[in-house]
Amino acid sequence: MATVPKPEILAAFEAAKGFMPVDEGLALYAAAAEAGALGLPLLEVGTYCGRSTVLLADAARSAGVTALTVDHHRGSEEQQPGWEYHDPETVDPEVGLMDTLPAFRRTLFRAGLEDHVIALVGRSPQVASVWGTPLGFVFIDGGHTDEHAGADYEGWAPHVAEGGLLAIHDVFPEPADEFTGQAPYRVYLRALGSGAFTEVAVNGSLRVLRRTGAGI
Ligand code: SAH
Ligand code: MG
C-alpha cells in the first residue's frame, strides 16, 4: 500500500499556495517516501511557495534524509504580471519583481519542517552545474519552456542514483489537455527514450520513473 502523509502534513500542504493537486501530491509523497529508503537526498526543481516541498520534506524526515529544493523565486513565464497564473501577492513591492521565497519560508515554518529542507536559491542549470552528490529522488516541476524543462532534465537526471526515482510534473500527452505547453511531456519522452529510466507510476499529470540503467 502507498505511504500516505499524516493529517497535519496533508493540511499544511493543502493550506499552501501552489499548483499541486491533492491526488498528484499523494502520489508524489508515496514516490518520495519509497525513494527515501535509498538513504540519499531528495531534490525538487520548482519550489514556488513550498506546496509540494512540504510533502518531500516530510518524506525526507521519515526516511532520515534531507530534502533540497531549487528555485530562483522570480517565477516562471506564465506566473509573471499579466499572465494567467500570476498572483499579485507574490510581488515584492520594493523591487517590483516576484519573490516567492518569503511565502515558501512561511509554509515550511507552519508545517514544522524547516530542519529537513535546504533551499537552493538560484537558476536550476547553474545549481546543477556545481552539484556532485547522488540523489535518491529528483522531482522536476520548474519552468515549462523547452529551454527550462530540458535543462532541468539534463542537469538533474544524471544525478539520480541507480534504483532512485525521477518524477516529472505537468506531463500532458494530449495537446488539448495542456495548459502551459508540452515541454514536460517531451522531457518525459526523452527520459524513457534514454534507456536509463522505466516508468513505475502515472497519476494525473505526474509521471514517476525509476533509474534502471546508465545512458544519460
Ligand atoms: N512545485 C510547486 C510549483 C512550482 S511552479 C508547487 O507545488 O506549487 C514553478 C517554479 O519554477 C516557479 O516558482 C519558478 O520560479 C521556478 N523556475 C522556473 N524556471 C526556473 C529555473 N530555470 N531555475 C530555477 N527555478 C525556476
Ligand atoms: Mg507543476
Side-chain angles (χ1 to χ4, degrees), residues 50-142:
R51 187 170 163 97
S52 48
T53 319
V54 165
L55 302 175
L56 256 67
D58 190 59
R61 170 170 63 183
S62 302
V65 300
T66 293
L68 298 128
T69 184
V70 183
D71 202 308
H72 48 48
H73 286 281
R74 294 295 187 210
S76 298
E77 284 77 358
E78 72 279 4
Q79 296 161 356
Q80 299 304 317
W83 292 81
E84 194 177 346
Y85 294 93
H86 181 61
D87 177 347
E89 283 178 11
T90 61
V91 174
D92 173 354
E94 233 173 89
V95 300
L97 295 175
M98 279 181 66
D99 182 3
T100 50
L101 189 56
F104 160 67
R105 301 210 68 200
R106 282 182 217 116
T107 298
L108 267 200
F109 174 78
R110 288 187 190 125
L113 289 166
E114 282 187 323
D115 290 352
H116 304 280
V117 180
I118 298 172
L120 297 160
V121 181
R123 293 171 51 252
S124 167
Q126 205 172 339
V127 181
S129 73
V130 296
W131 192 258
T133 304
L135 300 165
F137 188 72
V138 167
F139 173 46
I140 298 182
D141 193 20

Side-chain angles (χ1 to χ4, degrees), residues 19-20 139 141 144 169-170 179:
F19 303 101
M20 177 61 59
F139 173 46
D141 193 20
H144 284 177
H169 196 224
D170 304 302
F179 56 105

